Amino acid sequence: MKKQTNQEKKKLIVLYSGGKDSSLAALMLSKFFKVELVTITFGLLQNWKNAEKAAKRIKFPFRLLKLDKKIIETAAKIVVKDGFPNEGIKYIHQRVLEEIAKEANIVADGVRRNDRVPVMSLSEVMRVEDKLKIHYLQPLMGISRKTINLLVEEYFTIKEYKGASFAGAEYEFELREFVRKKYGLRKLNKIFPQNHTHTIVLSAR
């Protein structure tokens, strides 16, 4: 079979945070697709710049997509009502997929097997694909964190952060910021875990 050139590959958007998981997903899928990294912002923080720098380091095209702040407002109401962030972050993720589906029919993310959020069930994934008429890929879903770390060591140099000491480009950070401003620091600390760990890619090996 003739090998596909990069020009012939179908375009795929990877929802990108600048961390190890979405970077690994992009690298894995680049063999089969023409990958574009897209980071979402709601205009509350400049944390997307960290994802942009990481994208340059791993040499993938990057684009920033700004979405309506009302999505964050609704997600904040969900997390305040629930007292924990999972469903609110999942809500943001589903709305993001709806927006991305307007411009691309192949979308991927770096959600892994034992992630906290925004993990959707198989039936939810299938509903999203059917409703939005997209191919939704989660190449890390069957892989444990331990194995992902093994793969990451081969291809990237990363730095790990705990809590909000460094704002990655995950949805959670802008959601945190909105909750802090709207409901106060005490409410923020009650809802969001303090031991959250995230990464940023420093270079490709």
Side-chain angles (χ1 to χ4, degrees):
M1 188 195 312
K2 183 183 175 184
K3 184 179 179 181
Q4 264 189 329
T5 66
N6 195 48
Q7 288 74 25
E8 293 170 332
K9 290 177 181 177
K10 290 184 181 296
K11 179 182 174 181
L12 173 141
I13 286 177
V14 173
L15 299 174
Y16 191 62
S17 69
K20 64 181 181 180
D21 296 337
S22 52
S23 296
L24 184 60
L27 182 63
M28 292 170 71
L29 292 168
S30 64
K31 180 176 176 63
F32 308 102
F33 299 97
K34 188 175 181 179
V35 170
E36 180 184 32
L37 307 180
V38 173
T39 295
I40 304 301
T41 183
F42 298 94
L44 296 174
L45 296 171
Q46 297 292 301
N47 54 338
W48 59 267
K49 292 182 179 180
N50 299 320
E52 184 180 35
K53 290 175 184 176
K56 288 179 181 177
R57 291 165 185 153
I58 63 174
K59 297 182 171 57
F60 281 100
F62 172 88
R63 180 161 55 92
L64 182 68
L65 181 60
K66 186 173 182 178
L67 298 186
D68 194 331
K69 200 182 293 183
K70 289 180 180 177
I71 296 172
I72 281 281
E73 292 175 7
T74 301
K77 290 176 183 176
I78 293 170
V79 303
V80 168
K81 178 177 177 290
D82 291 348
F84 52 89
N86 293 28
E87 292 303 315
I89 295 174
K90 188 193 287 188
Y91 169 79
I92 296 172
H93 189 60
Q94 290 170 335
R95 292 298 307 274
V96 167
L97 288 172
E98 289 173 9
E99 292 299 320
I100 291 291
K102 295 175 182 177
E103 57 180 88
N105 66 351
I106 312 176
V107 185
D109 59 35
V111 174
R112 63 176 185 266
R113 186 172 74 197
N114 49 350
D115 247 339
R116 294 184 304 113
V117 287
V119 177
M120 292 192 288
S121 67
L122 178 58
S123 61
E124 287 174 322
V125 168
M126 292 171 69
R127 279 199 298 272
V128 164
E129 287 189 316
D130 290 342
K131 176 185 175 184
L132 303 179
K133 302 294 188 285
I134 61 172
H135 302 277
Y136 176 32
L137 283 64
Q138 296 179 305
L140 308 185
M141 181 51 81
I143 308 177
S144 70
R145 182 174 181 175
K146 180 175 69 174
T147 303
I148 286 170
N149 289 342
L150 183 68
L151 294 170
V152 166
E153 286 173 8
E154 284 290 314
Y155 295 103
F156 304 121
T157 301
I158 65 168
K159 187 165 184 178
E160 188 170 272
Y161 295 88
K162 291 189 181 297
S165 60
F166 178 88
E170 295 95 337
Y171 314 137
E172 180 175 330
F173 287 94
E174 284 193 288
L175 182 56
R176 281 175 179 261
E177 180 65 8
F178 186 90
V179 170
R180 184 187 69 79
K181 287 182 174 179
K182 177 80 173 179
Y183 300 96
L185 188 59
R186 186 175 179 184
K187 178 67 74 174
L188 172 73
N189 290 335
K190 284 183 71 175
I191 293 171
F192 289 89
Q194 303 303 305
N195 59 349
H196 170 68
T197 303
H198 61 282
T199 61
I200 193 78
V201 171
L202 301 178
S203 65
R205 292 186 185 276

